[in-house]
Amino acid sequence: MSNDVTSGPSETTARKPDLITVGGAEAPLVDRFKRQISYLRLSVTDRCDLRCSYCMPERMKFLPRKEVLTLEELYELACGFIDRGVTKIRITGGEPLVRRDIIDLFEALGRRIGNGLEELTLTTNATQLASHADSLAKAGVRRVNISLDTLDRETFARLTRRDALPQVLEGIAAAREAGLRVKLNAVALKGVNERELPDIVAWGHSQGFDVTLIEVMPLGDIDGDRLDQFLSLGEVRARFEERWTLTDIDYATGGPARYVGIAETGGRLGLITPLTDNFCDGCNRLRVTATGQLYPCLGGAERVDLRSALRSDDRVRNLAEALARAMHIKPERHGFRMDERGAEPAQPRHMSVTGG
Ligand code: SAM
Ligand code: SF4
């Protein structure tokens, strides 16, 4: 891979990233509700080495590789978004670290930090983090979100259908040693990690990590009933308050989490409540899948095909039009619902496809 600051990943040297001006326009991306887009979640693969039961079925069908954008295309798209005002990019998936040569993309995008990009980060299950943490830090990543739904090896093996907790804990330790700031994310799951949630929070805080709890969302079919999994964070908070002193705090990371401080642990707890407390008013993000499909809302069917624009002859103009369309169709709020009427997938797309 070249050291040229303007170059993309090595598989890309053939084409110049002339999408630096996606749409030829430098105007910021603002939707119909006057929300300015500053945050891109870019999925680099829908594949994963775990099979979390709330995320996908055991026999998940993955996308054919030929449909997935090359690293160069991902880089070019990302640069285009940066030039339209995106300052934060989160690389996600599927599991981003299972994509071959993914560090090349981090290195290339890392060179945009300070040149339009303020933050480059990722969400990972940490199974491969032990071998990548140093490279990520060197590429300019400062913070990493790690999904950890249980600290119990058997529960982990049942929940993710893989016996990988020791690897994940090694990955977390490596991230810390590499100087990355870690935030733990745990999905609250009724009857699965429900009783363990305080231990996960206490452990995370004892390690100096922020911890965020997430309500499970009805995205894609799984081997089971989502209603059985759903646990309201209002209920979790009430239980936490029986043992700890929780105070709402004015802390924000640009995401949908609302934070509380816990006096006894001295740590911060984020609560992401898509089902019970809507947070769409401040939405500043877009999601692009590994095949270049832009979803302006995680919970909506609205979609714009950036791949065909990217691969067209007049790609600069076509991408500008695609982004203008995305701004026009971004809905005011998501329509997630899980109640007595059922929990049909609000969207047939799995979170691993859209990018979590
Ligand atoms: N594989 C990486 C990981 O697990 O961190 C990144 C992708 S994963 C899809 C991103 C986040 O989405 C994880 O924190 C995961 O727990 C969460 N997630 C997956 N399916 C979900 C669902 N149906 N509802 C809520 N969160 C979900
Ligand atoms: Fe993989 Fe992340 Fe989905 Fe778990 S939540 S199956 S780690 S993509």
Side-chain angles (χ1 to χ4, degrees):
M1 170 137 185
S2 137
N3 287 326
D4 175 354
V5 273
T6 58
S7 71
S10 49
E11 72 182 68
T12 70
T13 41
R15 268 198 301 150
K16 272 182 61 192
D18 60 356
L19 289 182
I20 299 277
T21 53
V22 163
E26 305 290 329
L29 297 166
V30 180
D31 76 359
R32 283 183 300 148
F33 307 99
K34 302 206 170 4
R35 294 172 298 193
Q36 184 170 339
I37 305 302
S38 56
Y39 184 5
L40 173 67
R41 290 203 169 197
L42 182 60
S43 171
V44 295
T45 180
D46 66 323
R47 287 165 197 259
C48 190
D49 52 352
L50 301 183
R51 294 287 183 282
C52 302
S53 59
Y54 56 83
C55 179
M56 57 173 77
E58 169 71 64
R59 291 167 182 276
M60 180 72 177
K61 276 206 189 77
F62 295 113
L63 295 162
R65 284 183 210 273
K66 64 177 182 344
E67 289 189 18
V68 171
L69 297 184
T70 64
L71 292 180
E72 176 188 49
E73 288 172 324
L74 289 164
Y75 172 72
E76 291 181 356
L77 267 187
C79 285
F81 279 102
I82 294 168
D83 291 330
R84 294 293 301 271
V86 163
T87 55
K88 175 171 171 178
I89 296 181
R90 176 175 298 281
I91 302 295
T92 180
E95 173 47 43
L97 297 181
V98 302
R99 173 126 189 206
R100 195 148 55 92
D101 296 331
I102 192 62
I103 294 300
D104 288 358
L105 181 66
F106 280 100
E107 287 174 350
L109 285 175
R111 290 192 283 269
R112 291 292 315 250
I113 297 172
N115 176 17
L117 187 61
E118 287 168 13
E119 182 170 39
L120 175 63
T121 178
L122 76 154
T123 303
T124 175
N125 63 25
T127 57
Q128 319 278 322
L129 198 51
S131 48
H132 290 309
D134 276 335
S135 312
L136 290 167
K138 280 196 192 104
V141 172
R142 295 288 165 262
R143 296 195 303 155
V144 54
N145 282 5
I146 297 177
S147 304
L148 182 68
D149 302 317
T150 176
L151 286 164
D152 177 76
R153 188 164 176 174
E154 272 174 35
T155 310
F156 188 98
R158 211 170 341 113
L159 175 57
T160 68
R161 304 184 179 109
R162 302 292 183 269
D163 179 21
L165 182 63
Q167 255 166 277
V168 167
L169 294 177
E170 257 177 61
I172 294 175
R176 207 160 59 166
E177 273 159 41
L180 298 172
R181 258 180 68 198
V182 172
K183 178 162 82 74
L184 298 181
N185 284 339
V187 177
L189 298 162
K190 193 175 197 143
V192 179
N193 62 2
E194 186 173 359
R195 291 154 74 90
E196 211 199 321
L197 290 173
D199 297 339
I200 298 170
V201 172
W203 182 77
H205 287 176
S206 75
Q207 305 293 305
F209 306 153
D210 285 349
V211 182
T212 292
L213 302 180
I214 306 171
E215 285 177 343
V216 72
M217 289 173 265
L219 291 167
D221 279 321
I222 49 168
D223 300 327
D225 187 339
R226 288 206 182 271
L227 262 188
D228 294 344
Q229 299 181 329
F230 179 67
L231 180 60
S232 135
L233 288 187
E235 210 178 312
V236 172
R237 180 177 176 150
R239 278 190 230 150
F240 279 14
E241 280 175 328
E242 286 167 15
R243 67 159 74 190
W244 285 328
T245 318
L246 270 55
T247 313
D248 291 313
I249 53 174
D250 202 11
Y251 174 74
T253 57
R258 293 183 176 133
Y259 280 87
V260 295
I262 302 184
E264 290 77 0
T265 62
R268 268 189 303 247
L269 174 68
L271 301 168
I272 301 187
T273 53
L275 276 298
T276 57
D277 191 5
N278 188 281
F279 43 64
C280 300
D281 283 356
C283 185
N284 59 351
R285 66 187 57 190
L286 296 175
R287 290 181 157 84
V288 175
T289 70
T291 61
Q293 305 309 303
L294 185 160
Y295 286 97
C297 176
L298 177 65
E302 300 80 5
R303 175 176 70 93
V304 173
D305 181 6
L306 298 184
R307 185 182 58 184
S308 59
L310 186 62
R311 293 180 178 174
S312 66
D313 290 337
D314 195 357
R315 57 197 186 127
V316 171
R317 202 188 58 162
N318 290 338
L319 273 159
E321 279 176 15
L323 291 182
R325 203 155 58 248
M327 291 304 92
H328 187 67
I329 63 175
K330 184 171 166 64
E332 189 169 12
R333 52 192 293 155
H334 67 67
F336 289 132
R337 179 181 63 78
M338 277 212 266
D339 55 24
E340 63 292 341
R341 288 171 291 164
E344 289 301 303
Q347 290 306 324
R349 297 185 316 275
H350 294 87
M351 185 85 152
S352 55
V353 173
T354 320

